[in-house]
Amino acid sequence: MLDRYEREIDYLRLSVTGSCDCRCPYCVPRGETVRCSSLLSADELAELARAAVSCGVRKIRLTGGEPLLREDIVELCRGMALIPGLEELCLTTNGIHLGRLAPELKRAGVSRLNVSLDTLLPERFQRLTGHDCLGEVLHGIEAAQRQGFDRIKLNVVLMAGINEDEIPNLIAFGGKRALDVRFIELMPIGPCAAFAQSHYLPAEAVLEACPELRPAGRDGVAQLYALPGGAGRVGLIRPISHKFCAQCSRIRIDSGGTLRPCLHSTDGVPLRGLRGRELEDAIRAGIQSKPRGHALSAGAVCQTQTMYQIGG
Ligand code: SAM
C-alpha cells in the first residue's frame, strides 16, 4: 500500500526475538544481557504476518535479536512461507547456528539469507561479538550455499579504527564465493549511539579502498558496485551520508509486537492482542504514520532502544 508520501510499502522486517548471543558494541550496550522475556508466540507472529500481507506486504524478513535462537524457527518459517501473496521470506542471522539449520530453513521455504559478518579475523571477531566462533559462521555460510541459498548477502557494519582495514579482504572473500558484500554505515541508535558516533565511517571509504569498483545499479536501498569480471557484488547502504528515506519501502514490527513505521521512530503502534480487521486497520494506520525521513544526518539520535530490541 502507498503511504502518505506515495512510497509503496511492501516490505516488513519482523523481529521474532529480542534475544541475541552476540554482543556487538553498536547494538548491545556494554554489560547488558540480551534476553527477551515475552516472546510473541508462533501463532501471534503468523497472524501479524498474514495481516501485513493483507495490507500489501510482499516481502518479510525475519530478524531479531538472533532469529535462529528460537526453538520453533523452522516451523515458524514453514508457516510463513505458505502465506498466500507473500513473495519472499528472508532471514537475517549472525550465522552462528546456520550450519545446523541451513537444510531445514531451505526446506521450510526461506528464500534468501543475510549473514552479518564484520570481520574475517578470529580474534577481532571474538572481541566484537564476545564469541570465538568465526569458524562456525564461515561453516554456516558454506552450508547454506550447499543447500542452494543463492546470492547470500554479507552485512558488514563499517567501523572506523576497527574493521576499515579489512574492506579489500571482505570484498575478495565475497567475490570468490559469489556473495554480495554489503557495507552498512554505522547508525547512532539508542544507548549505543556514542560508540557509533566515535567509529562512524562513511561508505565512501569502500570506494576509496577499492577504486576498481564500478557502479552496477541499485537493489532496494543499496547502491551496487561490481569488480570488473568478478562474481560477487558490493552494496553500499548509506543511511547517514546518502539518506535513502524517499526509497524506503519498509515497516518493522519489534519483538514486543509494536509496529515501527521507521527504524528511528520512538513511538509505534502496539499490535499485540489485536486480531482480524482491527489488526489490519492498526497496520494501515502505522503505514500512514511513516515519517518522510529520519533526522540522523543532522546529528540527532532519534531512538531510545538499540537495534536488537527494535529488530535490525
Ligand atoms: N542477529 C541477526 C544478525 O546478526 O544479523 C539479526 C539482527 S541484527 C540487529 C541485524 C543487522 O543490524 C546486523 O547486520 C547488524 O550488523 C545491524 N546493526 C545493528 N546495529 C547497527 C547499527 N547501530 N548501525 C548499523 N547497523 C547495525
Side-chain angles (χ1 to χ4, degrees):
M1 92 177 238
L2 290 183
D3 73 359
R4 65 200 155 124
Y5 301 106
E6 302 281 302
R7 292 170 296 201
E8 178 78 43
I9 306 300
D10 58 4
Y11 179 12
L12 167 65
R13 294 170 86 107
L14 179 57
S15 176
V16 299
T17 175
S19 297
C20 189
D21 41 3
C22 284
R23 302 282 172 276
C24 307
Y26 47 77
C27 193
V28 182
R30 191 178 287 178
E32 192 161 310
T33 311
V34 188
R35 242 182 291 110
C36 171
S37 46
S38 58
L39 273 187
L40 292 173
S41 70
D43 287 346
E44 284 175 303
L45 287 164
E47 174 125 22
L48 290 173
R50 273 194 300 272
V53 172
S54 302
C55 297
V57 163
R58 296 287 164 259
K59 170 176 170 181
I60 294 181
R61 174 173 301 285
L62 303 184
T63 183
E66 173 48 42
L68 301 191
L69 290 182
R70 264 193 90 111
E71 286 183 3
D72 58 357
I73 188 67
V74 174
E75 293 96 277
L76 199 66
C77 291
R78 197 175 294 127
M80 287 204 188
L82 294 175
I83 295 175
L86 183 66
E87 291 165 11
E88 272 190 276
L89 178 65
C90 310
L91 187 143
T92 297
T93 172
N94 60 29
I96 296 175
H97 309 283
L98 190 55
R100 176 171 57 83
L101 287 167
E104 289 181 83
L105 292 172
K106 184 71 187 171
R107 282 196 294 274
V110 174
S111 34
R112 304 283 303 259
L113 289 176
N114 285 11
V115 179
S116 302
L117 183 61
D118 297 335
T119 175
L120 293 168
L121 302 176
E123 270 177 37
R124 192 175 281 179
F125 182 94
Q126 179 166 18
R127 233 178 305 125
L128 278 171
T129 65
H131 292 288
D132 179 16
C133 58
L134 175 63
E136 277 90 324
V137 179
L138 301 183
H139 165 69
I141 294 170
E142 273 175 37
Q145 287 193 305
R146 270 201 307 277
Q147 292 305 317
F149 280 108
D150 209 17
R151 287 246 163 252
I152 295 174
K153 291 176 184 157
L154 285 195
N155 283 350
V156 180
V157 176
L158 282 168
M159 289 171 277
I162 296 188
N163 65 354
E164 61 187 303
D165 55 335
E166 289 193 68
I167 293 171
N169 283 353
L170 284 156
I171 293 175
F173 177 86
K176 274 194 209 125
R177 293 161 183 80
L179 301 165
D180 284 357
V181 183
R182 308 195 327 159
F183 292 96
I184 305 171
E185 286 179 347
L186 189 51
M187 292 175 280
I189 300 186
C192 296
F195 176 88
Q197 280 156 344
S198 54
H199 293 284
Y200 170 72
L201 185 69
E204 198 62 28
V206 174
L207 303 178
E208 282 159 20
C210 205
E212 316 85 274
L213 286 172
R214 293 287 166 266
R218 297 191 70 90
D219 176 21
V221 297
Q223 292 168 315
L224 295 180
Y225 294 83
L227 284 175
R233 293 182 303 178
V234 171
L236 302 188
I237 302 185
R238 305 160 135 182
I240 309 287
S241 67
H242 288 64
K243 204 165 148 174
F244 46 68
C245 303
Q247 285 91 45
C248 185
S249 59
R250 51 183 81 165
I251 49 169
R252 294 166 194 264
I253 298 179
D254 70 18
S255 56
T258 294
L259 186 151
R260 309 249 169 198
C262 163
L263 171 61
H264 304 287
S265 313
T266 42
D267 45 354
V269 181
L271 303 176
R272 199 168 195 176
L274 302 182
R275 299 241 164 322
R277 184 65 191 273
E278 220 187 348
L279 177 56
E280 286 176 25
D281 286 348
I283 293 175
R284 287 199 184 92
I287 291 174
Q288 286 312 321
S289 70
K290 191 171 165 69
R292 185 191 287 275
H294 65 68
L296 283 182
S297 44
V301 180
C302 357
Q303 190 47 266
T304 52
Q305 292 186 299
T306 80
M307 196 75 137
Y308 80 83
Q309 293 166 315
I310 307 160

